[in-house]
Amino acid sequence: MIFGLTIEKLVVIGVIAALLVGPDRLPRYAAMLAQLLGRGRELLGTARERMKDELGDDVDWRTLDPRQYDPRRIIREALLDDVPPPARPAPARATLTPPTPFTPGTIPPFDSEAT
């Protein structure tokens, strides 16, 4: 299945194309399609040979896989890491004094750096 096209859909597209083109022009278009596919196959073969020449035979393809840089995969692996974090001693609790209620007329504290 290429691009969601099944064999049945390709047959229907081929029949419709044959009807639209007509029997007199069909051999010419079939030859053009064969020539185009031949050029595409040649281009892919040339690209494959060039890549093999430039990279060599001993290439580790897993290091060149762009899927390894997917942020979702990186985060998932980091979150599902089974290595337990080092145990930290519990911080000493500071005693908090309860806040004093404001009375009407007093100015509450103001932080000039707050937004």
Side-chain angles (χ1 to χ4, degrees), residues 4-21:
L5 295 175
T6 60
I7 297 296
E8 295 84 15
K9 291 178 184 177
L10 289 175
V11 169
V12 169
I13 291 172
V15 168
I16 291 173
L19 291 174
L20 290 176
V21 169

Side-chain angles (χ1 to χ4, degrees), residues 13-102:
I13 291 172
V15 168
I16 291 173
L19 291 174
L20 290 176
V21 169
D24 53 340
R25 292 183 289 175
L26 187 61
R28 184 174 40 161
Y29 284 119
M32 287 173 39
L33 178 64
Q35 187 180 22
L36 179 69
L37 290 176
R39 271 194 244 150
R41 184 175 293 157
E42 179 184 332
L43 218 137
L44 285 175
T46 306
R48 186 178 296 134
E49 288 175 16
R50 183 174 174 188
M51 193 161 75
K52 186 182 267 188
D53 289 342
E54 290 182 8
L55 294 176
D57 293 329
D58 55 344
V59 175
D60 186 14
W61 291 104
R62 287 175 282 167
T63 60
L64 298 176
D65 188 12
R67 291 176 290 185
Q68 70 179 338
Y69 302 114
D70 182 20
R72 294 172 292 192
R73 188 188 65 80
I74 294 170
I75 291 172
R76 182 174 43 248
E77 287 179 359
L79 291 177
L80 297 178
D81 196 12
D82 292 332
V83 178
R88 296 184 194 168
R93 292 189 163 230
T95 58
L96 298 175
T97 57
T100 56
F102 294 107

